[in-house]
């Protein structure tokens, strides 16, 4: 794909023409959600072709749910991160300050705002594209996508735009989110904690331990949105490890489940 005549303009399409989104509002129309979702898919497709690879199928299944979260469901504040993220400065330590990509979602220390914990970090390109479409990330950030020393990584980490934690290997984020939500509950915060997950993570035991703990401790300010696409890197989930009826399994742990087509 690198030999094809792509130009900078062709891989940097302008964001979808939607109202400026600095804070989620239920006034955003369904048409705007669809417009952003389609723009996300287009951007992911073009960057996958330009970079001769990438996680493309995730954009096909997750674009609507992520667009809906940012445009209609989550209560987020304005981004407090630079429009173009800086380079990776090294592991946090005495001389290196901690950098979090969650700053693109607003002030995570504000007790009234929601926090999004992004679990399937291989969906990173989808999330970056979404942040561009809703005005939280500049297109120029893609110039360093998947480059050595960049925070705009192929597989997102806690310093990557929109990411709050390092969640790979998969299935670690729900446990971390449960702890964050429990702490917020004890502190009396009104903001929710929402985890975005992939269905493949339910092949991991840690996911079920997190659900069990969240139900036991009555962490009612915690929600998980799951992209159930029945696919994973090794093929169909049913061919790798069948997880059965996900709704009935989760409900058996005492959690409330709602299915959305």
């Amino acid at each position: 794909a690198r030999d094809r005549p792509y130009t900078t303009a062709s891989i940097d399409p302008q964001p979808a023409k939607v109202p400026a989104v600095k804070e989620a509002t239920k006034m955003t129309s369904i048409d705007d959600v669809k417009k952003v979702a389609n723009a996300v898919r287009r951007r992911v497709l073009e960057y996958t072709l330009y970079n001769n690879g990438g996680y493309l199928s995730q954009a096909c299944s997750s674009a609507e749910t992520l667009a809906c979260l940012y445009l209609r469901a989550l209560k987020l504040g304005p981004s407090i991160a630079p429009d173009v993220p800086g380079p990776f400065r090294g592991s946090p330590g005495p001389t290196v300050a901690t950098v979090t990509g969650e700053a693109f979602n607003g002030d995570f220390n504000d007790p009234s705002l929601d926090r999004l914990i992004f679990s399937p970090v291989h969906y990173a390109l989808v999330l970056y594209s979404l942040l561009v479409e809703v005005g939280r990330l500049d297109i120029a950030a893609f110039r360093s996508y998947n480059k050595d020393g960049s925070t705009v990584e192929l597989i997102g980490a806690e310093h990557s735009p929109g990411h709050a934690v390092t969640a790979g290997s998969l299935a670690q984020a729900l446990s971390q989110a449960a702890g964050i939500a429990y702490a917020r509950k004890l502190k009396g915060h009104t903001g929710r904690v929402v985890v975005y997950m992939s269905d493949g993570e339910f092949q991991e035991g840690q996911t079920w331990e997190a659900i069990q703990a969240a139900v036991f401790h009555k962490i009612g300010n915690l929600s998980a949105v799951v992209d159930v696409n029945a696919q994973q890197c090794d093929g169909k989930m049913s061919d790798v490890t069948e997880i059965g009826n996900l709704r009935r399994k989760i409900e058996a742990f005492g959690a409330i489940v709602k299915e959305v087509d």
Side-chain angles (χ1 to χ4, degrees), residues 170-171 175 200-212 253:
L170 289 178
S175 298
E201 297 179 66
F202 288 84
Q203 295 172 339
E204 303 272 0
Q206 186 169 337
T207 296
W208 298 104
E209 292 176 4
I211 295 172
Q212 177 178 257
F253 277 75

Side-chain angles (χ1 to χ4, degrees), residues 66-126:
L66 283 170
C68 191
L69 281 173
Y70 271 85
L71 292 174
R72 292 178 63 87
L74 293 173
K75 181 181 180 183
L76 302 175
S79 170
I80 57 173
D83 292 340
V84 179
F88 179 63
R89 296 182 294 185
S91 300
T95 60
V96 180
T98 299
V99 175
T100 173
E102 192 177 7
F104 287 89
N105 293 334
D107 185 0
F108 46 87
N109 290 314
D110 188 328
S112 68
L113 296 179
D114 296 336
R115 295 184 63 177
L116 175 66
I117 310 300
F118 196 72
S119 186
V121 289
H122 55 299
Y123 284 45
L125 181 56
V126 186

Side-chain angles (χ1 to χ4, degrees), residues 89-174:
R89 296 182 294 185
S91 300
T95 60
V96 180
T98 299
V99 175
T100 173
E102 192 177 7
F104 287 89
N105 293 334
D107 185 0
F108 46 87
N109 290 314
D110 188 328
S112 68
L113 296 179
D114 296 336
R115 295 184 63 177
L116 175 66
I117 310 300
F118 196 72
S119 186
V121 289
H122 55 299
Y123 284 45
L125 181 56
V126 186
L127 182 56
Y128 303 150
S129 299
L130 190 282
L131 291 173
V132 168
E133 300 304 332
V134 299
R136 293 176 177 272
L137 181 67
D138 194 279
I139 296 173
F142 281 91
R143 306 298 171 81
S144 62
Y145 172 65
N146 199 27
K147 300 273 196 311
D148 287 344
S150 171
T151 54
V152 188
E153 299 193 55
L154 175 67
I155 306 295
E158 80 281 352
H159 48 255
S160 300
H163 294 69
V165 300
T166 293
S169 303
L170 289 178
Q172 296 177 348
L174 185 59

Side-chain angles (χ1 to χ4, degrees), residues 25 35-36 57 73 104 111 124 126 147 180 194 221 234 239 251:
T25 169
K35 187 182 297 185
V36 165
S57 62
F104 287 89
V126 186
K147 300 273 196 311
I180 293 169
V194 178
N221 57 338
D234 292 330
D239 294 336
E251 287 179 335

Side-chain angles (χ1 to χ4, degrees), residues 16-19 27-37 67 71:
K17 300 296 183 182
V18 298
M27 298 299 291
T28 308
S29 71
I30 294 297
D31 285 341
D32 285 334
V33 172
K34 292 179 179 178
K35 187 182 297 185
V36 165
L71 292 174

